Amino acid sequence: MNYFSLNQQSKAVSFKEAVINGLAPDRGLYFPENISPLPEEFITNIDKYSNEEIAFEAVKQFVGDEIPESTLKEIVSETIDFEFPVVKVQENIGSLELFHGPTLAFKDVGARFMARCLGYFNNQKPEKVTVLVATSGDTGGAVANGFLGVNGVDVVILYPSGKVSDIQEKQLTTLGKNITALEVNGVFDDCQDMVKTAFLDDQISRTLTSANSINVARWLPQMFYYFFAYKQLYKKHPNIVFSVPSGNFGNICAGMMAQKLGLPIQHFVAATNVNDTVPEFMKNGEYKPKASKATISNAMDVGNPSNFIRIQKLFNNSFENLKGGFSSFSFDDDATKESMKRIYKESNYIADPHGAVGYLGLEKHQLKKDEYGVFLETAHPVKFLDVVESTLNLKLSIPEEIQELIKKEKHSIKISTYDELKSFLNA
């Protein structure tokens, strides 16, 4: 499988090159040259397959012969060795819980898959690689955990100072070893811009790759849990609408890739907070990036979502085609808190702020009689302890591993400019 740049100014590369490069030399995101649907028999009998078998079938064409099948099966098995339950919230709505991995966030899947792929490539030809990643919250912890101790890989994580939750910050600043956290005086978009600039700076002496969802090995495995949810629901609920809390739009874009592979998903809703670049685009077809704003659903505080260009490509860059299978709505913090209260009161279900935004997306979509709505609960509520407890007026039970994490000492390096990042990378 080869990958081309969506900016069309760079040569096609292999899966391995796309993973190691992260971003194409022309600053474009890599996209697979071909997408072949899975056999119809596989989809119609999906409940007969294990999650490992499903994930392997979904991803193998995108890896090609770059990794032996036996090794790829091991990578997949280690990536998804936890649960992905759809929990009933209302008669026609369920929550797809993606927080049962090691860092309690959906990004564990992509981070673990990418770390293992990069580890395999490094074992074949040892070369020191630096994973440079920007985070608005959960990516940093998942990447740090996934790459901790991986031979030949250093990880440098940029995060916006004061704009991630305390637990999120501890997850990326307390591991040490090959993990370094840079605390940026700015917002997530500043972090992301620094990362993109570093990739194109030929004066940086390190070999850089990205572990944001711009990297194909972080983006594509997120397809898996759409298949897993469909497997749990399709016999009773064949018409599924997914509402995805969306920041950089990699998660929902992976769901659309699953749809391209033949998964019969009825509709996608991208639910955002007040960072409404895409909801505004869906009104008039004009894409106007904005400076990001801080919210209680901080992992979605993205004003210029990188992966939206991939979504447009999946719909042949046709605004009309996109509108047929996709909608996007924006909600502020007050609406998010009210949603959390309503879900808890009516269903006794505790949603984190991101899941609550996803729930609001289903409400706005207005499910038809034959539709079943699934909102993605992308992080454990305990990761947003202050917001959840104050909004719902309750005390959350804190998992033992989080209690231990809170006690650890934070270690970060503060920077404000790209030049400071560059100096650090070259030191």
Side-chain angles (χ1 to χ4, degrees):
M1 171 65 75
N2 281 336
Y3 291 80
F4 66 94
S5 167
L6 289 174
N7 282 351
Q8 306 285 345
Q9 300 298 314
S10 296
K11 67 181 180 69
V13 299
S14 66
F15 174 74
K16 177 181 177 179
E17 290 172 297
V19 173
I20 292 174
N21 293 346
L23 198 66
D26 63 2
R27 293 183 76 103
L29 272 63
Y30 285 117
F31 196 85
E33 285 189 340
N34 301 293
I35 303 171
S36 300
L38 298 174
E40 187 176 342
E41 178 276 335
F42 179 80
I43 301 295
T44 55
N45 296 289
I46 198 167
D47 61 316
K48 292 182 171 61
Y49 298 91
S50 69
N51 280 359
E52 288 82 3
E53 290 170 327
I54 292 167
F56 174 74
E57 288 300 319
V59 82
K60 68 178 182 181
Q61 68 173 287
F62 301 105
V63 177
D65 60 3
E66 303 279 314
I67 299 175
E69 282 200 358
S70 59
T71 304
L72 182 58
K73 286 178 179 177
E74 289 177 15
I75 288 172
V76 165
S77 179
E78 292 172 6
T79 295
I80 58 170
D81 63 350
F82 48 91
E83 298 299 312
F84 300 84
V86 178
V87 177
K88 181 179 176 181
V89 175
Q90 292 177 6
E91 199 58 40
N92 63 340
I93 293 178
S95 165
L96 174 56
E97 292 186 344
L98 302 177
F99 54 69
H100 295 280
T103 72
L104 311 182
F106 79 99
K107 296 180 180 182
D108 282 324
V109 171
R112 284 152 70 91
F113 184 83
M114 183 188 166
R116 284 156 177 78
C117 288
L118 200 55
Y120 171 79
F121 294 142
N122 271 353
N123 286 337
Q124 301 308 110
K125 184 182 177 184
E127 179 184 356
K128 194 77 171 178
V129 175
T130 296
V131 172
L132 184 64
V133 62
T135 185
S136 57
D138 287 325
T139 293
V143 169
N145 182 277
F147 281 89
L148 183 64
V150 173
N151 186 43
V153 179
D154 288 329
V155 179
V156 178
I157 302 168
L158 282 71
Y159 73 98
S161 181
K163 295 178 176 63
V164 301
S165 75
D166 291 343
I167 290 174
Q168 287 174 323
E169 186 174 42
K170 285 292 181 76
Q171 285 183 322
L172 56 97
T173 60
T174 59
L175 292 175
K177 295 186 179 179
N178 60 326
I179 312 295
T180 303
L182 302 184
E183 187 174 351
V184 177
N185 180 21
V187 298
F188 170 75
D189 292 319
D190 299 318
C191 301
Q192 185 163 255
D193 287 344
M194 286 186 190
V195 168
K196 288 181 176 179
T197 301
F199 278 115
L200 301 175
D201 191 335
D202 57 12
Q203 294 180 352
I204 288 178
S205 56
R206 302 194 193 199
T207 299
L208 299 178
T209 189
S210 171
N212 281 97
S213 55
I214 59 175
N215 193 301
V216 295
R218 255 288 319 277
W219 164 50
L220 289 169
Q222 295 174 119
M223 296 186 295
F224 298 165
Y225 36 76
Y226 293 91
F227 283 97
F228 301 161
Y230 182 78
K231 172 185 173 181
Q232 295 172 64
L233 296 171
Y234 79 111
K235 287 192 171 177
K236 278 189 173 181
H237 308 288
N239 300 317
I240 302 172
V241 175
F242 282 101
S243 180
V244 186
S246 298
N248 226 3
F249 279 69
N251 194 349
I252 194 167
C253 185
M256 292 171 173
M257 284 291 287
Q259 186 183 47
K260 280 283 184 182
L261 292 182
L263 203 64
I265 298 170
Q266 187 85 353
H267 193 80
F268 285 98
V269 178
T272 78
N273 53 31
V274 294
N275 294 283
D276 60 356
T277 299
V278 173
E280 288 300 305
F281 170 84
M282 294 306 296
K283 293 176 184 177
N284 53 30
E286 294 181 32
Y287 188 81
K288 295 180 178 178
K290 306 175 181 180
S292 61
K293 301 173 184 175
T295 73
I296 60 171
S297 50
N298 64 280
M300 301 190 290
D301 292 350
V302 183
N304 186 14
S306 296
N307 287 285
F308 192 61
I309 189 172
R310 282 179 171 146
I311 291 176
Q312 291 173 294
K313 176 63 178 176
L314 284 168
F315 286 87
N316 297 316
N317 295 305
S318 165
F319 184 57
E320 291 305 313
N321 289 347
L322 181 61
K323 284 198 297 184
F326 171 83
S327 52
S328 188
F329 309 111
S330 167
F331 307 95
D332 63 20
D333 282 353
D334 288 340
T336 303
K337 289 179 180 179
E338 286 304 311
S339 175
M340 293 167 66
K341 291 176 184 175
R342 193 163 66 253
I343 295 168
Y344 184 63
K345 181 179 179 182
E346 295 176 1
S347 307
N348 201 35
Y349 186 82
I350 298 173
D352 91 297
H354 303 78
V357 171
Y359 178 87
L360 285 169
L362 288 177
E363 283 192 333
K364 190 81 169 181
H365 169 74
Q366 297 181 327
L367 293 166
K368 300 180 179 67
K369 266 190 175 181
D370 64 342
E371 291 180 337
Y372 189 87
V374 176
F375 67 91
L376 273 57
E377 182 61 23
T378 53
H380 195 293
V382 77
K383 296 189 78 171
F384 307 93
L385 195 64
D386 294 344
V387 173
V388 173
E389 289 188 340
S390 63
T391 300
L392 301 184
N393 193 27
L394 52 71
K395 293 293 289 183
L396 288 178
S397 175
I398 302 177
E400 188 175 334
E401 62 268 29
I402 296 297
Q403 292 183 37
E404 291 302 312
L405 178 72
I406 292 170
K407 297 175 187 175
K408 292 183 179 180
E409 186 178 350
K410 162 189 164 184
H411 294 281
S412 68
I413 299 170
K414 294 188 176 184
I415 66 171
S416 298
T417 67
Y418 173 73
D419 285 341
E420 290 175 283
L421 170 62
K422 183 174 178 176
S423 295
F424 171 80
L425 292 175
N426 283 333

